[in-house]
Amino acid sequence: MQQSYEPTGPAPDGGAARVLVVDDDPTVAEVVAGYLDRAGYRVDRADDGPAALARAAAHRPDLVVLDLMLPGMDGLEVCRRMRERGPVPVIMLTARGDEDDRILGLEVGADDYVTKPFSPRELVLRVESVLRRARPATARQRPLRAAGLTVDPAARRVTRDSAELALTLREFDLLAYFLRNPGRAYSREDLMREVWGWEFGDLSTVTVHIRRLRGKVEDDPARPRLIQTVWGVGYRFEPGTPSAPAGPDTPPAPAGQED
């Protein structure tokens, strides 16, 4: 079952962004769609993976709220296939306590996740946050360059030695933040606040995105040269330093320390 809603008010960014809600639970879908509709978004709905892909192909969404557990085709596969068609922000809905599933969601390119049961108001705030980050302020539009990387905030485009990289929304924001602030060590809490815009949250979100970003910008992700681990602190972007003598997880860190 699919259903469309027209916006009743302006979206937070001044336009009517299109949000695709994918959930096979009609009650959850109805509540989420209703809150997003009242917040001023155009809302489309789909109740399974194939319907979601068809809806996204017909009307490209600005953001997708995607349930992990779907009949026939799970949310991970839906997210992968949507990513193959081009970048689109994704917020994954997961069951409480399924940490492995949340990590998998982030690994395939989800920009955020919300655990069930959740507050619909919190979800709307997450949607606003992700969309706001997808449209950077005009004052921060100038291209950033370091270590063969060029980040163009206006075009939301990253190249490495002239080859374009496929980055998710959060990966893009994280790399841009590092390029704006080279040589400074940031904790995962710092990065969550500055890049995600959250004062609290699951810090493994940052860890997963660092790992994914290293896989795309480092010559050898196992021996990171650019995004270095600062033991006991967090991470630092060093555009002009030699490769580390050991992998990113050596020496072994105490329990709870950053990867």
Side-chain angles (χ1 to χ4, degrees), residues 149 171 174-175 178-179 191 209-218 220-221 223-230 234-239 241 244 248 259:
L149 295 164
E171 291 166 1
L174 186 58
L175 181 60
F178 277 136
L179 262 67
L191 294 172
H209 279 79
I210 290 287
R211 183 165 62 244
R212 285 178 54 85
L213 188 56
R214 280 171 168 167
K216 297 177 180 182
V217 305
E218 298 281 0
D220 182 359
R223 299 164 60 88
R225 176 178 63 86
L226 301 175
I227 305 173
Q228 300 184 0
T229 297
V230 181
Y235 305 100
R236 179 179 60 228
F237 182 74
E238 288 288 0
T241 56
D259 291 347

Side-chain angles (χ1 to χ4, degrees), residues 138-163:
T138 304
R140 310 184 84 180
Q141 295 291 303
R142 65 180 183 83
L144 306 164
R145 296 181 177 87
L149 295 164
T150 300
V151 176
D152 185 345
R156 301 292 294 184
R157 185 170 180 261
V158 176
T159 57
R160 181 171 183 255
D161 298 326
S162 300

Side-chain angles (χ1 to χ4, degrees), residues 18-33:
R18 184 183 295 274
V19 178
L20 174 61
V21 177
V22 187
D23 199 306
D24 64 323
D25 185 327
T27 300
V28 172
E30 185 75 27
V31 171
V32 169

Side-chain angles (χ1 to χ4, degrees), residues 16-20 42 59-64 88-89 131 134-135:
R18 184 183 295 274
V19 178
L20 174 61
R42 292 177 294 170
H59 301 284
R60 183 72 176 173
D62 296 295
L63 182 142
V64 181
V88 58
L131 287 175
R135 298 176 176 86

Side-chain angles (χ1 to χ4, degrees), residues 55-246:
R55 174 64 74 177
H59 301 284
R60 183 72 176 173
D62 296 295
L63 182 142
V64 181
V65 176
L66 178 62
D67 188 25
L68 179 63
M69 301 301 295
L70 293 170
M73 181 189 301
D74 65 22
L76 296 177
E77 182 61 23
V78 174
C79 187
R80 288 191 190 97
R81 296 194 186 190
M82 285 187 176
R83 291 291 186 195
E84 290 174 357
R85 298 178 179 179
V88 58
V90 174
I91 296 179
M92 195 80 76
L93 303 180
T94 69
R96 186 177 299 278
D98 292 342
E99 182 176 358
D100 290 343
D101 288 339
R102 295 198 297 270
I103 296 300
L104 281 173
L106 295 171
E107 290 283 10
V108 299
D111 298 285
D112 194 3
Y113 67 84
V114 176
T115 56
K116 295 182 177 180
F118 57 85
S119 162
R121 291 183 179 180
E122 177 191 354
L123 179 59
V124 170
L125 291 175
R126 295 291 184 96
V127 168
E128 292 174 356
S129 173
V130 171
L131 287 175
R132 184 169 59 248
R133 293 279 172 171
R135 298 176 176 86
T138 304
R140 310 184 84 180
Q141 295 291 303
R142 65 180 183 83
L144 306 164
R145 296 181 177 87
L149 295 164
T150 300
V151 176
D152 185 345
R156 301 292 294 184
R157 185 170 180 261
V158 176
T159 57
R160 181 171 183 255
D161 298 326
S162 300
E164 187 163 359
L165 303 181
L167 267 60
T168 67
L169 169 68
R170 296 298 190 188
E171 291 166 1
F172 182 97
D173 290 340
L174 186 58
L175 181 60
Y177 189 77
F178 277 136
L179 262 67
R180 290 189 182 102
N181 302 278
R184 178 176 173 182
Y186 290 96
S187 68
R188 291 187 296 175
E189 290 88 348
D190 292 334
L191 294 172
M192 179 160 283
R193 181 175 59 255
E194 298 296 332
V195 177
W196 276 257
W198 308 341
E199 290 298 330
F200 58 90
D202 185 350
L203 296 180
S204 65
T205 299
V206 178
T207 305
V208 171
H209 279 79
I210 290 287
R211 183 165 62 244
R212 285 178 54 85
L213 188 56
R214 280 171 168 167
K216 297 177 180 182
V217 305
E218 298 281 0
D219 291 327
D220 182 359
R223 299 164 60 88
R225 176 178 63 86
L226 301 175
I227 305 173
Q228 300 184 0
T229 297
V230 181
W231 301 108
V233 180
Y235 305 100
R236 179 179 60 228
F237 182 74
E238 288 288 0
T241 56
S243 298

